[in-house]
Every structure is written in structure tokens, then in C-alpha cells.
Amino acid sequence: MNKQYFSYFVAVLLAVLIIAPGMAAAHKHTYTNMSACDARQMIEKEDVFLLDVRTPVEYELGHIEGAVLIPLKNVKSDPDALSPEELLPARMKELPGNKNTKILVYCKVGIRGAETGSLLADAGYKNVYNIDEGLDRWVKEGYPIVATYESWNEVWSKLLTQ
């Protein structure tokens, strides 16, 4: 092989080694953050699996109607710690079997929702959405939740006055 062809070969090889990892990363599945307004429109107009990843105590204080509760993890403020079998990583089979199903995730402020979005995308779900700023933003926008009178007075009405 002469020097000219060898130089071309090395240049092509280097290009492939540099570009190929970037192309592989570009195919990684991700999730999308969306506003409470867009999330509400999605719930009203589309077939979507609504996933609440907060704890049972948080869920009982208030949740979006139709949401399925599968907690992502325990939180320090919740006195009733759940076993690992009760948390989302162990309960993935409860999610839709069709990886193209739209899944709208929410938590209290968006952090656990974002973690869940990554977890679901890594599991192969292609249409995962997280409500940016979680249920707190949903309530601040004036959208409805299922809540008791007591939880509204003790929790949600205070959020609206902040």
C-alpha cells in the first residue's frame, strides 16, 4: 500500500472512530419535559398513561384524576418507607407493554418525574413526558386535582398563596 492510500485509509478510520460514538449516542431514547398547560391538553385530547411517581401519602393528599400510583422511591419526609418491591424499578411490568404508548409522568416538583423519564426511556419507552415542576405547577396553574377538603386547606391552598 503506498503512502497516499495509507493516509486516506487512516483519515477515514479516524473519522469513523470519532463520528460513530456520536451517532450511537444520538439514538439514545430520551423523555420530554412539558408545561402543565401542555400536559393538561395531552390528557384531555389523547390516549395517555398517566403515572404518579410520588409516595402513597403524597398521592392521598391530592393527585390528577386517572393517575396510576407507582412510587419511584422513598422520600425522607414520608414516615412510611416502602419496600423495594413496592417501588417502580421492581414494578415495571405494571406499565403498558407497548413501548410506543404515551406516558405522562409527574411528581411533586419535577425531580422524581425527570428521574422516571430517564428510567422509562432507558427501558425503551419512546413517548415519555414529564410535567415540568410537577403537581405543584399543575395546581398553581389552576388545574383540577382529586383532594380532600382537609388536604386542600392544609397543603394546596398554601401553595397558591406563595
Side-chain angles (χ1 to χ4, degrees):
M1 185 183 295
N2 70 32
K3 287 184 178 182
Q4 182 180 9
Y5 289 119
F6 183 73
S7 296
Y8 288 127
F9 175 76
V10 170
V12 169
L13 182 61
L14 284 173
V16 168
L17 291 174
I18 292 170
I19 294 171
M23 289 173 59
H27 292 293
K28 185 174 189 223
H29 298 292
T30 61
Y31 68 94
T32 303
N33 280 316
M34 66 174 11
S35 69
C37 178
D38 290 341
R40 183 167 188 216
Q41 289 176 2
M42 178 184 280
I43 291 168
E44 289 176 349
K45 296 179 181 176
E46 301 178 38
D47 187 23
V48 61
F49 184 86
L50 184 58
L51 179 60
D52 186 325
V53 295
R54 299 172 304 145
T55 66
V57 170
E58 292 173 302
Y59 183 86
E60 288 302 317
L61 287 175
H63 58 272
I64 300 172
E65 185 174 3
V68 174
L69 174 66
I70 306 178
L72 174 65
K73 60 185 178 181
N74 289 303
V75 294
K76 292 178 184 177
S77 62
D78 193 338
D80 300 322
L82 300 170
S83 70
E85 296 81 30
E86 296 175 285
L87 301 175
L88 180 60
R91 296 175 61 187
M92 296 290 282
K93 290 181 180 174
E94 295 177 42
L95 298 175
N98 181 348
K99 302 284 183 162
N100 290 313
T101 301
K102 285 188 178 181
I103 300 178
L104 178 58
V105 179
Y106 73 92
C107 62
K108 183 172 179 359
V109 297
I111 296 170
R112 284 174 282 173
E115 289 178 40
T116 301
S118 292
L119 177 71
L120 297 182
D122 289 346
Y125 286 94
K126 295 170 182 58
N127 296 298
V128 181
Y129 303 87
N130 174 48
I131 300 178
D132 196 27
E133 298 182 49
L135 192 61
D136 282 4
R137 173 54 55 195
W138 179 272
V139 170
K140 285 180 182 179
E141 295 292 329
Y143 301 135
I145 60 170
V146 176
T148 64
Y149 179 79
E150 291 79 17
S151 69
W152 182 261
N153 282 336
E154 293 173 17
V155 177
W156 304 111
S157 64
K158 291 178 183 176
L159 178 70
L160 293 173
T161 59
Q162 292 179 357

